[in-house]
Amino acid sequence: MSAEGQPAIGPLLTVGQLTKLFGTFAACNGIDLEIKPGEIHALLGENGAGKSTLVKMLFGVLAPTSGEIVWQGQPVRIASPSAARRLGIGMVFQHFSLFEALTVAENIALSMAPGISLNRIAEEASALSHSYGLPLDPKAHVADLSVGERQRIEIVRALLQNPKLIILDEPTSVLTPQEADRLFETLNKLKAEGRSVLYISHRLEEVQRICDRATVLRHGKVTGACDPRRETPSSLARMMVGSDVAHVSAEGTSTKGAVKLEARHLSAPARTPFAVALKNICLKVHAGEVLAIAGVAGNGQGELFDALSGEYPAATDDVVRIADKPVGTRGINARRLMGAGFVPEERHGHAAVSALSLSDNLILARSQSDRRAFLGGGVLGLIRQDAVKSATRRIAQAMDVRKSGDNPPAGSLSGGNLQKFIVGRELDRQPTVLVVNQPTWGVDAGAASRIRQALVDLAKSGSAVLVISQDLDEIFEVATEIAVISEGRLSDIYPAAELSREKIGLLMGGMYGKTESAETAHAH
Ligand SMILES: Nc1ncnc2c1ncn2[C@@H]1O[C@H](COP(=O)(O)OP(=O)(O)OP(=O)(O)O)[C@@H](O)[C@H]1O
């Protein structure tokens, strides 16, 4: 064991009856938890179960309302993240706290003691990232990095503090399978060094693969503790949600209708030196279809979403068509007015403004496309608050959004519940075309199945749905057609039933066309 000062026996951390109230709402309600030295401990629970609230108390971001935290045998009060770091607790949040305009090294410097030169920080970060298998360029600007790379900065930043306990909040939800494998190697290395990991994840297979123990939360209380390797994904899911998780049913998917969304030889230059250029993308999504686009993160998914949604319009009109009308140069509102809906990948800041209430977020997104429903007549076009609030309630109910209060700020919702609200906000309009990027990012098994079913149902009702996702299980659950994006190029589109995981793997490696992949398969 190399983590110094650690007792050979006895828990590293004990939490006793820890409670956090928001007003009268108990986000954590009398939680008991014990973490041993050198164990990878999973914290499981459905969206809104209280996992993030618990770990925020452990990291000094939130003050407990009552209860006790005992660290290496001593009761402690963790008043701030720096106090947590001094004790030896590091944390990697679900939402990164990085400054986009600064470099990797500059961002790391911000969390270090003052007086250390940037060069030394860059050297130490490089050495550490190398030894833990987390490649990073200290001079790169954060704005140019993929989500996976940004997460590596957070991990390296936490490791530079030499923590005894490192808390990871849904670390793999943004990673490719290969990146996730690399992270697991890093975690096993930390474990071998005698450090402990508290690991929040909705991915039960990976919890079974790497975690020694699991504590399950539900409605702010501990509902069980187990050795996850002795459970099955469905028994774990049952502990979390209290019932079996429904399977998505694609049966009765309607037959193909007219083409509703089309890209014709869509190319777009890379907007930054690290972004991906789109290269001659051709796709068609018919009414009744769910076209799922698979791919390793950072291969042009965000850029494709931007071009299809009009967040970054194209240079000419004809390259994107909605309901057979050329819209390439039009902005997002014009496309929404034509009945299209868009759900971007980044929930906070992009899809929702954290400080605003859910109803204000609803009106922000839909005031133009749903003028008649939400704005009064006349030149002023005043907001019809009643209509907005009742739509907010309808969406929350339809998507089972768990929240404290009727209309709380978006930022107070747990990550998965905010995602349900954002997807529900678009589904509520019954869009004829829906483009959604990573629809179930950070969403628990029950809620993910609800969102996926809603996407399938939307297509069944005659809309054209395009889902961009890294999650192959999700892709096979929802897709009628599948294509793969790699280095800004799109493969041919295949009926979902014709593709296997292996074939998708080949396409991810850049085998773009049917002919090419068939030849490759033959050659092997
Ligand atoms: N600042 C806050 N004010 C009011 N309620 C809050 C606040 N923060 C969290 N909550 C509520 O506490 C509950 C627990 O949220 P928390 O973020 O801990 O859940 P979680 O288990 O981490 O969920 P997820 O898996 O979706 O991230 C949720 O119902 C949430 O709405």
Side-chain angles (χ1 to χ4, degrees):
M1 264 185 207
S2 71
E4 307 92 331
Q6 201 164 269
I9 44 164
L12 176 68
L13 173 82
T14 310
V15 163
Q17 288 298 298
L18 205 62
T19 297
K20 177 70 191 174
L21 300 179
F22 292 111
T24 55
F25 176 79
C28 287
N29 194 351
I31 290 188
D32 293 326
L33 172 77
E34 199 179 274
I35 299 178
K36 298 192 179 73
E39 80 171 354
I40 304 184
H41 192 117
L43 191 57
L44 302 178
E46 59 185 337
N47 295 131
K51 306 177 296 293
S52 299
T53 305
L54 173 60
V55 295
K56 280 181 189 161
M57 289 192 278
L58 300 179
F59 195 59
V61 176
L62 287 173
T65 309
S66 60
E68 184 178 54
I69 301 174
V70 178
W71 177 254
Q72 294 187 300
Q74 299 294 320
V76 284
R77 205 182 129 260
I78 307 173
S80 64
S82 41
R85 282 191 209 106
R86 278 195 300 276
L87 285 176
I89 302 176
M91 169 138 191
V92 176
F93 284 96
Q94 201 178 0
H95 301 288
F96 310 140
S97 46
L98 298 170
F99 291 94
E100 299 219 345
L102 300 185
T103 64
V104 171
E106 286 164 346
N107 266 285
I108 292 175
L110 288 174
S111 63
M112 306 286 287
I116 311 175
S117 80
L118 213 53
N119 278 346
R120 200 174 127 207
I121 289 173
E123 272 168 32
E124 282 184 21
S126 282
L128 203 113
S129 69
H130 190 70
S131 78
Y132 283 98
L134 302 160
L136 265 188
D137 173 6
K139 294 196 192 75
H141 279 94
V142 170
D144 298 323
L145 300 182
S146 71
V147 199
E149 288 166 316
R150 290 176 194 213
Q151 186 195 53
R152 275 184 231 152
I153 307 174
E154 295 274 8
I155 296 177
V156 167
R157 181 153 87 166
L159 289 178
L160 276 167
Q161 313 271 351
N162 192 20
K164 296 186 179 74
L165 170 68
I166 179 158
I167 303 169
L168 298 166
D169 193 353
E170 287 182 47
T172 56
S173 55
V174 293
L175 300 184
T176 63
Q178 294 85 338
E179 283 173 327
D181 284 344
R182 204 180 283 165
L183 175 70
F184 300 153
E185 280 169 29
T186 306
L187 296 186
N188 279 325
K189 189 152 193 252
L190 294 172
K191 178 177 155 172
E193 290 171 352
R195 301 176 206 270
S196 308
V197 176
L198 183 58
Y199 189 86
I200 301 182
S201 177
H202 291 296
R203 301 192 169 172
L204 302 178
E205 289 84 359
E206 72 187 30
V207 165
Q208 291 190 297
R209 192 167 138 199
I210 58 159
C211 295
D212 306 298
R213 281 195 64 68
T215 297
V216 185
L217 298 186
R218 207 164 146 242
H219 300 314
K221 292 187 173 152
V222 175
T223 54
C226 62
D227 176 346
R229 289 163 299 201
R230 298 199 173 167
E231 304 289 329
T232 62
S234 28
S235 71
L236 286 172
R238 215 175 302 126
M239 267 186 176
M240 281 163 55
V241 299
S243 60
D244 284 323
V245 173
H247 287 289
V248 176
S249 157
E251 258 164 49
T253 306
S254 61
T255 43
K256 278 187 190 184
V259 175
K260 298 272 185 179
L261 174 69
E262 187 175 358
R264 289 185 180 176
H265 306 287
L266 169 67
S267 294
R271 290 196 298 274
T272 69
F274 296 93
V276 176
L278 296 178
K279 296 163 193 134
N280 196 27
I281 293 205
C282 296
L283 63 84
K284 283 181 184 169
V285 195
H286 297 80
E289 271 181 3
V290 180
L291 168 62
I293 298 189
V296 175
N299 270 283
Q301 288 93 330
E303 289 82 353
L304 178 61
F305 178 88
D306 290 345
L308 293 177
S309 65
E311 288 227 4
Y312 284 90
T316 55
D317 254 337
D318 207 43
V319 290
V320 180
R321 298 173 83 89
I322 291 176
D324 215 23
K325 296 203 173 55
V327 296
T329 61
R330 305 273 197 100
I332 189 160
N333 274 328
R335 300 186 198 193
R336 290 172 67 88
L337 274 169
M338 297 172 72
F342 305 99
V343 184
E345 178 180 5
E346 270 287 323
R347 299 190 270 258
H348 289 280
H350 194 175
V353 182
S354 301
L356 295 184
S357 66
L358 292 182
S359 63
D360 285 347
N361 269 290
L362 174 63
I363 195 73
L364 263 186
R366 290 178 43 183
S367 61
Q368 294 304 313
S369 51
D370 298 67
R371 273 190 87 81
R372 254 185 258 148
F374 294 144
L375 299 185
V379 258
L380 287 179
L382 293 177
I383 296 170
R384 292 177 49 210
Q385 290 293 353
D386 286 355
V388 178
K389 291 218 169 101
S390 86
T392 305
R393 254 177 246 126
R394 184 173 68 229
I395 293 165
Q397 204 171 15
M399 298 305 286
D400 187 26
V401 176
R402 315 265 172 94
K403 53 192 170 51
S404 48
D406 186 39
N407 188 20
S412 80
L413 261 64
S414 75
N417 276 299
L418 183 56
Q419 181 72 359
K420 284 192 264 179
F421 182 78
I422 290 164
V423 176
R425 180 174 68 184
E426 295 303 310
L427 290 172
D428 181 64
R429 300 175 55 222
Q430 284 284 310
T432 48
V433 170
L434 181 68
V435 181
V436 43
N437 193 0
Q438 316 298 347
T440 60
W441 201 61
V443 164
D444 70 50
S449 124
R450 177 181 286 264
I451 290 177
R452 291 171 192 163
Q453 188 66 59
L455 297 174
V456 168
D457 290 345
L458 183 69
K460 277 191 209 169
S461 74
S463 300
V465 179
L466 188 146
V467 176
I468 302 171
S469 176
Q470 275 169 245
D471 183 336
L472 286 186
D473 293 328
E474 170 160 278
I475 285 183
F476 281 111
E477 269 189 78
V478 300
T480 57
E481 330 285 321
I482 300 177
V484 177
I485 190 161
S486 165
E487 292 176 9
R489 286 196 182 87
L490 195 70
S491 72
D492 291 342
I493 295 175
Y494 298 80
E498 278 182 21
L499 274 191
S500 61
R501 280 165 194 269
E502 291 67 37
K503 206 159 168 185
I504 292 184
L506 272 181
L507 293 168
M508 281 177 175
M511 304 296 159
Y512 308 114
K514 281 177 183 153
T515 353
E516 249 174 306
S517 53
E519 276 167 11
T520 314
H522 203 67
H524 289 78

PDB file of all heavy atoms in Angstrom, residues 30-50:
ATOM      1  N   GLY A  30     -30.910  10.027   6.483  1.00  0.00           N
ATOM      2  CA  GLY A  30     -30.349   9.049   7.420  1.00  0.00           C
ATOM      3  C   GLY A  30     -29.495   7.986   6.745  1.00  0.00           C
ATOM      4  O   GLY A  30     -29.708   6.782   6.936  1.00  0.00           O
ATOM      5  N   ILE A  31     -28.507   8.437   5.968  1.00  0.00           N
ATOM      6  CA  ILE A  31     -27.700   7.471   5.191  1.00  0.00           C
ATOM      7  C   ILE A  31     -26.515   6.931   6.010  1.00  0.00           C
ATOM      8  O   ILE A  31     -25.786   7.699   6.644  1.00  0.00           O
ATOM      9  CB  ILE A  31     -27.205   8.137   3.891  1.00  0.00           C
ATOM     10  CG1 ILE A  31     -28.435   8.331   3.015  1.00  0.00           C
ATOM     11  CG2 ILE A  31     -26.113   7.320   3.215  1.00  0.00           C
ATOM     12  CD1 ILE A  31     -28.177   8.784   1.649  1.00  0.00           C
ATOM     13  N   ASP A  32     -26.368   5.610   5.991  1.00  0.00           N
ATOM     14  CA  ASP A  32     -25.206   4.954   6.594  1.00  0.00           C
ATOM     15  C   ASP A  32     -24.383   4.331   5.461  1.00  0.00           C
ATOM     16  O   ASP A  32     -24.949   3.700   4.568  1.00  0.00           O
ATOM     17  CB  ASP A  32     -25.649   3.818   7.537  1.00  0.00           C
ATOM     18  CG  ASP A  32     -26.374   4.343   8.762  1.00  0.00           C
ATOM     19  OD1 ASP A  32     -26.014   5.434   9.239  1.00  0.00           O
ATOM     20  OD2 ASP A  32     -27.332   3.672   9.210  1.00  0.00           O
ATOM     21  N   LEU A  33     -23.090   4.514   5.544  1.00  0.00           N
ATOM     22  CA  LEU A  33     -22.222   3.993   4.474  1.00  0.00           C
ATOM     23  C   LEU A  33     -20.818   3.812   5.036  1.00  0.00           C
ATOM     24  O   LEU A  33     -20.378   4.600   5.867  1.00  0.00           O
ATOM     25  CB  LEU A  33     -22.200   5.037   3.342  1.00  0.00           C
ATOM     26  CG  LEU A  33     -21.232   4.851   2.184  1.00  0.00           C
ATOM     27  CD1 LEU A  33     -21.776   3.788   1.235  1.00  0.00           C
ATOM     28  CD2 LEU A  33     -21.072   6.152   1.412  1.00  0.00           C
ATOM     29  N   GLU A  34     -20.137   2.768   4.559  1.00  0.00           N
ATOM     30  CA  GLU A  34     -18.770   2.549   5.020  1.00  0.00           C
ATOM     31  C   GLU A  34     -17.890   2.230   3.813  1.00  0.00           C
ATOM     32  O   GLU A  34     -18.275   1.413   2.975  1.00  0.00           O
ATOM     33  CB  GLU A  34     -18.778   1.358   5.979  1.00  0.00           C
ATOM     34  CG  GLU A  34     -17.561   1.292   6.853  1.00  0.00           C
ATOM     35  CD  GLU A  34     -17.674   0.098   7.797  1.00  0.00           C
ATOM     36  OE1 GLU A  34     -18.272   0.244   8.868  1.00  0.00           O
ATOM     37  OE2 GLU A  34     -17.158  -0.983   7.416  1.00  0.00           O
ATOM     38  N   ILE A  35     -16.760   2.897   3.732  1.00  0.00           N
ATOM     39  CA  ILE A  35     -15.837   2.597   2.628  1.00  0.00           C
ATOM     40  C   ILE A  35     -14.508   2.133   3.207  1.00  0.00           C
ATOM     41  O   ILE A  35     -13.903   2.814   4.047  1.00  0.00           O
ATOM     42  CB  ILE A  35     -15.633   3.835   1.731  1.00  0.00           C
ATOM     43  CG1 ILE A  35     -16.986   4.235   1.133  1.00  0.00           C
ATOM     44  CG2 ILE A  35     -14.623   3.546   0.628  1.00  0.00           C
ATOM     45  CD1 ILE A  35     -16.929   5.462   0.268  1.00  0.00           C
ATOM     46  N   LYS A  36     -14.079   0.974   2.723  1.00  0.00           N
ATOM     47  CA  LYS A  36     -12.827   0.406   3.240  1.00  0.00           C
ATOM     48  C   LYS A  36     -11.652   0.897   2.406  1.00  0.00           C
ATOM     49  O   LYS A  36     -11.834   1.253   1.233  1.00  0.00           O
ATOM     50  CB  LYS A  36     -12.887  -1.122   3.155  1.00  0.00           C
ATOM     51  CG  LYS A  36     -13.983  -1.732   3.995  1.00  0.00           C
ATOM     52  CD  LYS A  36     -13.771  -3.242   4.067  1.00  0.00           C
ATOM     53  CE  LYS A  36     -14.831  -3.899   4.923  1.00  0.00           C
ATOM     54  NZ  LYS A  36     -16.148  -3.972   4.301  1.00  0.00           N
ATOM     55  N   PRO A  37     -10.454   0.852   2.989  1.00  0.00           N
ATOM     56  CA  PRO A  37      -9.282   1.216   2.176  1.00  0.00           C
ATOM     57  C   PRO A  37      -9.135   0.228   1.019  1.00  0.00           C
ATOM     58  O   PRO A  37      -9.350  -0.976   1.202  1.00  0.00           O
ATOM     59  CB  PRO A  37      -8.104   1.076   3.147  1.00  0.00           C
ATOM     60  CG  PRO A  37      -8.691   1.006   4.515  1.00  0.00           C
ATOM     61  CD  PRO A  37     -10.084   0.505   4.379  1.00  0.00           C
ATOM     62  N   GLY A  38      -8.785   0.737  -0.130  1.00  0.00           N
ATOM     63  CA  GLY A  38      -8.500  -0.133  -1.275  1.00  0.00           C
ATOM     64  C   GLY A  38      -9.715  -0.817  -1.871  1.00  0.00           C
ATOM     65  O   GLY A  38      -9.568  -1.859  -2.499  1.00  0.00           O
ATOM     66  N   GLU A  39     -10.896  -0.258  -1.680  1.00  0.00           N
ATOM     67  CA  GLU A  39     -12.052  -0.874  -2.353  1.00  0.00           C
ATOM     68  C   GLU A  39     -12.679   0.094  -3.353  1.00  0.00           C
ATOM     69  O   GLU A  39     -12.612   1.315  -3.193  1.00  0.00           O
ATOM     70  CB  GLU A  39     -13.112  -1.367  -1.349  1.00  0.00           C
ATOM     71  CG  GLU A  39     -14.034  -0.315  -0.809  1.00  0.00           C
ATOM     72  CD  GLU A  39     -15.203  -0.904   0.001  1.00  0.00           C
ATOM     73  OE1 GLU A  39     -15.376  -2.133   0.051  1.00  0.00           O
ATOM     74  OE2 GLU A  39     -15.945  -0.103   0.586  1.00  0.00           O
ATOM     75  N   ILE A  40     -13.262  -0.502  -4.377  1.00  0.00           N
ATOM     76  CA  ILE A  40     -14.037   0.301  -5.327  1.00  0.00           C
ATOM     77  C   ILE A  40     -15.500   0.076  -4.944  1.00  0.00           C
ATOM     78  O   ILE A  40     -16.010  -1.039  -5.041  1.00  0.00           O
ATOM     79  CB  ILE A  40     -13.769  -0.110  -6.792  1.00  0.00           C
ATOM     80  CG1 ILE A  40     -12.262  -0.024  -7.093  1.00  0.00           C
ATOM     81  CG2 ILE A  40     -14.559   0.783  -7.738  1.00  0.00           C
ATOM     82  CD1 ILE A  40     -11.889  -0.308  -8.540  1.00  0.00           C
ATOM     83  N   HIS A  41     -16.108   1.142  -4.454  1.00  0.00           N
ATOM     84  CA  HIS A  41     -17.438   1.029  -3.866  1.00  0.00           C
ATOM     85  C   HIS A  41     -18.431   1.748  -4.770  1.00  0.00           C
ATOM     86  O   HIS A  41     -18.297   2.933  -5.051  1.00  0.00           O
ATOM     87  CB  HIS A  41     -17.401   1.682  -2.481  1.00  0.00           C
ATOM     88  CG  HIS A  41     -18.595   1.388  -1.646  1.00  0.00           C
ATOM     89  ND1 HIS A  41     -18.519   0.704  -0.459  1.00  0.00           N
ATOM     90  CD2 HIS A  41     -19.901   1.672  -1.817  1.00  0.00           C
ATOM     91  CE1 HIS A  41     -19.729   0.582   0.064  1.00  0.00           C
ATOM     92  NE2 HIS A  41     -20.587   1.176  -0.748  1.00  0.00           N
ATOM     93  N   ALA A  42     -19.437   1.026  -5.233  1.00  0.00           N
ATOM     94  CA  ALA A  42     -20.425   1.642  -6.132  1.00  0.00           C
ATOM     95  C   ALA A  42     -21.544   2.280  -5.321  1.00  0.00           C
ATOM     96  O   ALA A  42     -21.967   1.741  -4.301  1.00  0.00           O
ATOM     97  CB  ALA A  42     -21.017   0.578  -7.052  1.00  0.00           C
ATOM     98  N   LEU A  43     -21.989   3.440  -5.798  1.00  0.00           N
ATOM     99  CA  LEU A  43     -23.168   4.072  -5.225  1.00  0.00           C
ATOM    100  C   LEU A  43     -24.218   4.056  -6.320  1.00  0.00           C
ATOM    101  O   LEU A  43     -24.054   4.685  -7.367  1.00  0.00           O
ATOM    102  CB  LEU A  43     -22.814   5.507  -4.812  1.00  0.00           C
ATOM    103  CG  LEU A  43     -23.823   6.253  -3.969  1.00  0.00           C
ATOM    104  CD1 LEU A  43     -24.140   5.496  -2.692  1.00  0.00           C
ATOM    105  CD2 LEU A  43     -23.269   7.642  -3.610  1.00  0.00           C
ATOM    106  N   LEU A  44     -25.264   3.271  -6.067  1.00  0.00           N
ATOM    107  CA  LEU A  44     -26.277   3.078  -7.112  1.00  0.00           C
ATOM    108  C   LEU A  44     -27.594   3.719  -6.692  1.00  0.00           C
ATOM    109  O   LEU A  44     -27.867   3.882  -5.504  1.00  0.00           O
ATOM    110  CB  LEU A  44     -26.525   1.589  -7.345  1.00  0.00           C
ATOM    111  CG  LEU A  44     -25.326   0.741  -7.733  1.00  0.00           C
ATOM    112  CD1 LEU A  44     -25.749  -0.724  -7.875  1.00  0.00           C
ATOM    113  CD2 LEU A  44     -24.753   1.234  -9.038  1.00  0.00           C
ATOM    114  N   GLY A  45     -28.415   4.016  -7.660  1.00  0.00           N
ATOM    115  CA  GLY A  45     -29.736   4.554  -7.336  1.00  0.00           C
ATOM    116  C   GLY A  45     -30.322   5.218  -8.551  1.00  0.00           C
ATOM    117  O   GLY A  45     -29.597   5.735  -9.403  1.00  0.00           O
ATOM    118  N   GLU A  46     -31.658   5.229  -8.620  1.00  0.00           N
ATOM    119  CA  GLU A  46     -32.302   5.841  -9.776  1.00  0.00           C
ATOM    120  C   GLU A  46     -32.086   7.355  -9.741  1.00  0.00           C
ATOM    121  O   GLU A  46     -31.572   7.904  -8.772  1.00  0.00           O
ATOM    122  CB  GLU A  46     -33.790   5.496  -9.801  1.00  0.00           C
ATOM    123  CG  GLU A  46     -34.530   5.956  -8.575  1.00  0.00           C
ATOM    124  CD  GLU A  46     -35.977   5.493  -8.558  1.00  0.00           C
ATOM    125  OE1 GLU A  46     -36.523   5.204  -9.618  1.00  0.00           O
ATOM    126  OE2 GLU A  46     -36.552   5.433  -7.471  1.00  0.00           O
ATOM    127  N   ASN A  47     -32.488   8.018 -10.810  1.00  0.00           N
ATOM    128  CA  ASN A  47     -32.326   9.467 -10.876  1.00  0.00           C
ATOM    129  C   ASN A  47     -33.057  10.120  -9.714  1.00  0.00           C
ATOM    130  O   ASN A  47     -34.207   9.801  -9.429  1.00  0.00           O
ATOM    131  CB  ASN A  47     -32.903  10.019 -12.191  1.00  0.00           C
ATOM    132  CG  ASN A  47     -32.127   9.524 -13.396  1.00  0.00           C
ATOM    133  OD1 ASN A  47     -32.709   9.057 -14.350  1.00  0.00           O
ATOM    134  ND2 ASN A  47     -30.814   9.604 -13.328  1.00  0.00           N
ATOM    135  N   GLY A  48     -32.347  11.028  -9.051  1.00  0.00           N
ATOM    136  CA  GLY A  48     -32.976  11.750  -7.939  1.00  0.00           C
ATOM    137  C   GLY A  48     -32.926  10.980  -6.633  1.00  0.00           C
ATOM    138  O   GLY A  48     -33.506  11.392  -5.636  1.00  0.00           O
ATOM    139  N   ALA A  49     -32.199   9.849  -6.596  1.00  0.00           N
ATOM    140  CA  ALA A  49     -32.153   9.024  -5.376  1.00  0.00           C
ATOM    141  C   ALA A  49     -31.353   9.704  -4.271  1.00  0.00           C
ATOM    142  O   ALA A  49     -31.499   9.366  -3.100  1.00  0.00           O
ATOM    143  CB  ALA A  49     -31.539   7.669  -5.702  1.00  0.00           C
ATOM    144  N   GLY A  50     -30.475  10.659  -4.641  1.00  0.00           N
ATOM    145  CA  GLY A  50     -29.711  11.382  -3.625  1.00  0.00           C
ATOM    146  C   GLY A  50     -28.217  11.112  -3.699  1.00  0.00           C
ATOM    147  O   GLY A  50     -27.464  11.527  -2.812  1.00  0.00           O
TER     148      GLY A  50
END
